Amino acid sequence: MIYPIVKYGHEVLEKQTKPVVDFDGNLEKLVADMFETMYAANGVGLAAPQVGISLHLCVIDTTTGEDPKTKLVLANPVIVSMEGEVVQEEGCLSLPDFRVKTARPERVTVRAQDAHGKEFTMSGEGLLARAFCHETDHLNGKLFIQHIGRLKRESIKRKVRKMMKAGEW
Ligand SMILES: [Zn+2]
């Protein structure tokens, strides 16, 4: 099932999420639906709050579905270390059409559980490191625009408000 993606302005995106405790069939279904939703939107990552579910869960695939081996499920992820810095354009499915140069660590190690509850630790660089940060931010109620300059952020907020008024958001 493809979920509608929740856009910026919805309170679920700015809330701390609840931990995943039940690694059952419902979670499996949700994970499958999140991948389907992410691929349909051509995204490389999707967090549960973006489908309206306030749960500490995200999916990532930096190949956008080209290579099934790169599919990642992160339940209860925590960033345990980061190194370096890269500034690159970043976007978010909840803020469609806004892409802004955003500084992120170059290398990130994350600890999480997979869809069956098994704990793992994984390191990533470049786009994967960026995705780890972007998605774990979502689970803590944060959006990427909190990492950009205030003026740029205010300009995006203004444009969104305008679109909301016009019924285009
Ligand atoms: Zn996002």
Side-chain angles (χ1 to χ4, degrees), residues 1-32:
M1 180 190 120
I2 296 176
Y3 280 94
I5 294 176
V6 172
K7 287 187 191 172
Y8 173 64
H10 193 299
E11 59 163 29
V12 73
L13 292 176
E14 293 176 74
K15 267 194 351 198
Q16 179 68 39
T17 57
K18 288 191 208 70
V20 179
V21 285
D22 296 319
F23 293 86
D24 55 9
N26 290 335
L27 185 74
E28 230 166 275
K29 169 84 174 97
L30 174 60
V31 163

Side-chain angles (χ1 to χ4, degrees), residues 8-9 90-92 94-102 143-164 169:
Y8 173 64
E90 191 167 318
C92 178
S94 295
L95 274 156
D97 303 327
F98 292 105
R99 295 191 64 82
V100 188
K101 284 199 167 136
T102 309
L143 293 163
F144 83 98
I145 53 169
Q146 282 168 260
H147 296 281
I148 65 176
R150 190 178 58 85
L151 288 179
K152 187 74 203 166
R153 181 168 56 247
E154 291 307 321
S155 135
I156 290 177
K157 286 185 176 176
R158 250 194 325 274
K159 284 177 189 155
V160 169
R161 271 197 296 271
K162 222 170 150 184
M163 282 190 272
M164 277 176 175
W169 187 252

